[in-house]
Amino acid sequence: MSEVKKGDVVELKSGGPRMTVAEVDDYSPMGPLRGAKCVWFEKNAQKEHVFDVDVLKVVNDTDPSSPLAMRRG
């Protein structure tokens, strides 16, 4: 699995919107030890949340079957 880093496009392993990692840091004691602050847009409103990096997967935009790669066409 790829290591999540700032600037990566990610999504939750369970699905959901694509998000951009704004920061990876230690958010303990109130959050995850290895957390990624992610930002995304929902109906033109910017959203952000800190997720544990273990629940995220990096989206591979170079995969030809990826919807983002198809848009570049």
Side-chain angles (χ1 to χ4, degrees):
M1 183 179 125
S2 298
E3 183 69 25
V4 175
K5 61 188 180 307
K6 183 177 180 175
D8 282 345
V9 176
V10 297
E11 64 185 13
L12 292 171
K13 289 180 179 177
S14 60
R18 290 179 182 219
M19 305 173 286
T20 302
V21 177
E23 182 177 55
V24 178
D25 206 349
D26 176 353
Y27 288 90
S28 62
M30 300 303 287
L33 179 61
R34 291 184 49 231
K37 182 192 289 185
C38 298
V39 294
W40 69 98
F41 285 89
E42 196 173 286
K43 297 184 180 179
N44 296 324
Q46 182 178 328
K47 305 287 185 174
E48 69 177 47
H49 187 78
V50 174
F51 296 95
D52 189 308
V53 295
D54 291 333
V55 303
L56 299 172
K57 65 179 178 179
V58 177
V59 177
N60 183 355
D61 294 337
T62 59
D63 178 351
S65 64
S66 163
L68 289 180
M70 289 181 194
R71 285 188 222 149
R72 291 188 200 130

